[in-house]
Amino acid sequence: MHLVNAKSLLSAQNGMNVYRGCTHGCIYCDSRSTCYQMRHPFEDIEVKQNAPELLEQALRSKRKRCMIGTGAMCDPYLHLEEELRITRRCLEIIERYGFGVAIQTKSDRILRDLPLLQAIHAKAKCVVQMTLTTFDEALCAILEPHVCTTRRRWEVLKACQRAGIPTVVWFCPVLPYINDTEENVRGILSYCFDAGVQGILSFGMGVTLREGDREYFFAALDRHFPGLKQRYVKRFGNAYECPSDRNEELMALFHRECEAHGVMHDPGQIFHYLHAFPERDTSQQLSMFDL
């Protein structure tokens, strides 16, 4: 890792990433793409050591409270978070100032901060987002080798459910010829429904590949799935979008099951939910003149 002092932290949409790069090793990671202009090796994590100070300055200057998002580009619970605790410090600031948080991760390290997330939710709103891609544990360990497997992430979702913290699952990507099966879709959905998630995000059964990401992905295919890279090249070439041949039937299954279980599955509706800061109902409050 290496430390930097960032000039700013929050995006225009109130998102933040306190780390840049990742050590989870997921073979399909879009954040490796060269378009993001990362000037250091992906596993050499850039740490924004002044992130808590920048966040406090930003929240102190805001006229209205809102949801703060984190985890969209880089997981806030990387291995080094255990020691550095920068995500933790940022959450403490969010709680202190009464803002909400929508936090996305693949790691069970988030359980360390569960009481703090409960405190944020008691004051405002907290939504924990977990990425689930692969029901088969052995396959998951290949695709996402340095982070807890899907079953453990389901246990995190269940812990959030018991703690009263709402959850959303990102069900993506689904890799053509690898985990684009009905068994995988039903397995992931069974975990989601059992954990009482509010919504499940899917943008289609498939994966996106571009320069930087594609080369890493193909090298992983050569290691773990001999011959599959050639199948990808023949089917997709250098296309950015690589949809599963079973996309239509699997998405129909996905939407049908979500609808039957009363779980949000429209991306627009879910994003609105994630960004909506709760307005407290004051209509029932009595003034001194009502007594």
Side-chain angles (χ1 to χ4, degrees):
M1 72 174 186
H2 61 282
L3 306 177
V4 300
N5 284 315
K7 295 181 179 179
S8 61
L9 185 67
L10 287 186
S11 70
Q13 291 75 39
N14 297 308
M16 67 176 185
N17 288 289
V18 301
Y19 302 118
R20 195 169 190 212
C22 191
T23 49
H24 289 341
C26 303
I27 72 171
Y28 51 74
C29 182
D30 177 70
S31 294
R32 292 182 180 274
S33 301
T34 56
C35 64
Y36 298 119
Q37 300 179 339
M38 193 172 296
R39 295 179 176 84
H40 56 86
F42 194 68
E43 286 78 13
D44 176 19
I45 308 302
E46 181 180 282
V47 178
K48 299 176 184 177
Q49 61 181 346
N50 61 334
E53 291 77 15
L54 290 174
L55 178 62
E56 184 160 17
Q57 292 172 12
L59 298 191
R60 189 183 295 155
S61 65
K62 283 189 175 293
R63 299 180 62 182
K64 292 183 64 176
R65 287 177 295 177
C66 62
M67 297 294 290
I68 306 299
T70 188
M73 282 295 295
C74 298
D75 199 304
Y77 286 101
L78 300 179
H79 300 79
L80 48 72
E81 169 62 19
E82 293 183 15
E83 175 185 353
L84 297 181
R85 299 169 68 89
I86 294 180
T87 295
R88 168 85 186 191
R89 290 165 58 196
C90 288
L91 291 174
E92 289 171 343
I93 292 166
I94 289 170
E95 190 275 334
R96 188 184 317 139
Y97 283 85
F99 282 70
V101 67
I103 187 165
Q104 183 180 350
T105 185
K106 290 178 181 173
S107 175
D108 58 355
R109 294 183 187 90
I110 195 173
L111 293 177
R112 177 199 67 185
D113 294 334
L114 197 58
L116 179 54
L117 298 176
Q118 285 180 292
I120 293 173
H121 194 59
K123 281 187 177 180
K125 177 181 173 183
C126 173
V127 184
V128 169
Q129 304 164 78
M130 295 292 291
T131 299
L132 307 181
T133 67
T134 311
F135 185 68
D136 182 279
E137 291 286 280
L139 181 58
C140 180
I142 293 173
L143 304 183
E144 301 158 347
H146 305 310
V147 68
C148 62
T149 58
T150 301
R151 181 172 180 83
R152 178 58 175 160
R153 289 178 231 169
W154 164 73
E155 291 173 352
V156 172
L157 293 171
K158 292 290 286 184
C160 291
Q161 182 185 36
R162 291 190 295 270
I165 297 173
T167 54
V168 164
V169 161
W170 290 66
F171 182 23
C172 56
V174 175
L175 306 177
Y177 316 123
I178 296 178
N179 60 350
D180 57 339
T181 65
E182 180 176 340
E183 179 184 15
N184 188 52
V185 173
R186 290 192 180 277
I188 294 295
L189 291 180
S190 69
Y191 274 151
C192 294
F193 299 150
D194 181 67
V197 304
Q198 299 294 306
I200 308 172
L201 277 163
S202 175
F203 306 98
M205 302 294 161
V207 65
T208 58
L209 297 174
R210 44 189 164 190
E211 185 182 357
D213 171 22
R214 182 182 294 107
E215 290 77 8
Y216 190 86
F217 179 66
F218 281 172
L221 293 187
D222 281 340
R223 288 195 307 273
H224 300 291
F225 309 96
L228 191 54
K229 179 182 76 173
Q230 289 72 23
R231 191 173 183 185
Y232 265 77
V233 171
K234 182 177 180 180
R235 173 69 174 82
F236 303 114
N238 288 325
Y240 170 61
E241 295 185 353
C242 305
S244 166
D245 294 338
R246 304 186 64 187
N247 176 65
E248 187 173 340
E249 64 174 290
L250 293 179
M251 285 303 293
L253 169 64
F254 168 76
H255 290 301
R256 184 170 64 248
E257 289 297 310
C258 287
E259 195 69 26
H261 287 82
V263 172
M264 288 187 290
H265 52 101
D266 174 72
Q269 183 183 15
I270 296 172
F271 284 129
H272 175 77
Y273 169 73
L274 291 172
H275 287 97
F277 187 81
E279 298 293 337
R280 297 200 179 278
D281 183 10
T282 59
S283 62
Q284 301 301 317
Q285 294 180 357
L286 296 177
S287 74
M288 61 180 293
F289 301 105
D290 296 321
L291 300 178

